[in-house]
Amino acid sequence: QVQLVESGGGLVQPGGSLRLSCAASGFTFRYYAIGWFRQAPGKEREGVSCISRGGSSTYYLDSVKGRFTISRDNAKNTVYLQMNSLKPEDTAIYYCAAGRREWCTNEYDYWGQGTQVTVSS
């Protein structure tokens, strides 16, 4: 049974930090590139970050560059998204997704259920 389970979301003040985790099971994790997406109320889903299956290539949305860092631990079947200097506009549900490709693309095979991130004072 394929599962992607996000965790680490919550309420944080502007300028604060959170680390999201995406734990995978039911498929061969190391064969998959992993992406993080977010969707805010009333807005379309957007790609936030992605990491290639080997971890050598990463992508970041312009608005999060320098604040977010993606990493993966293939031994633990987990991808992390470290989010620093959070802003109210980062508020959204964050999803991870897995695509059976070496590099980051727009095509994903599996999706998690999401974790809520709220940035507010």
Side-chain angles (χ1 to χ4, degrees):
Q1 179 183 357
V2 171
Q3 278 194 312
L4 288 172
V5 179
E6 303 93 339
S7 62
L11 173 64
V12 63
Q13 292 186 343
S17 297
L18 286 173
R19 188 176 82 155
L20 304 185
S21 298
C22 171
S25 61
F27 61 97
T28 308
F29 181 75
R30 65 182 183 276
Y31 291 164
Y32 287 72
I34 305 294
W36 281 99
F37 295 80
R38 67 186 181 188
Q39 188 165 21
K43 294 187 177 181
E44 292 189 355
R45 186 178 64 197
E46 61 181 355
V48 175
S49 184
C50 179
I51 188 165
S52 61
R53 68 186 187 189
S56 63
S57 177
T58 57
Y59 158 83
Y60 295 97
L61 184 68
D62 282 349
S63 62
V64 308
K65 284 181 181 177
R67 300 189 298 122
F68 290 11
T69 304
I70 191 170
S71 61
R72 66 188 295 159
D73 185 339
N74 284 350
K76 295 183 178 180
N77 288 1
T78 302
V79 168
Y80 305 97
L81 186 68
Q82 178 67 43
M83 306 188 297
N84 298 329
S85 302
L86 283 161
K87 304 176 181 180
E89 51 263 43
D90 294 318
T91 295
I93 299 174
Y94 283 71
Y95 303 87
C96 64
R100 199 180 191 284
R101 291 153 188 88
E102 183 173 5
W103 308 111
C104 294
T105 69
N106 292 325
E107 298 177 7
Y108 291 88
D109 304 298
Y110 309 124
W111 290 82
Q113 294 299 306
T115 185
Q116 176 71 48
V117 172
T118 303
V119 185
S120 175
S121 55

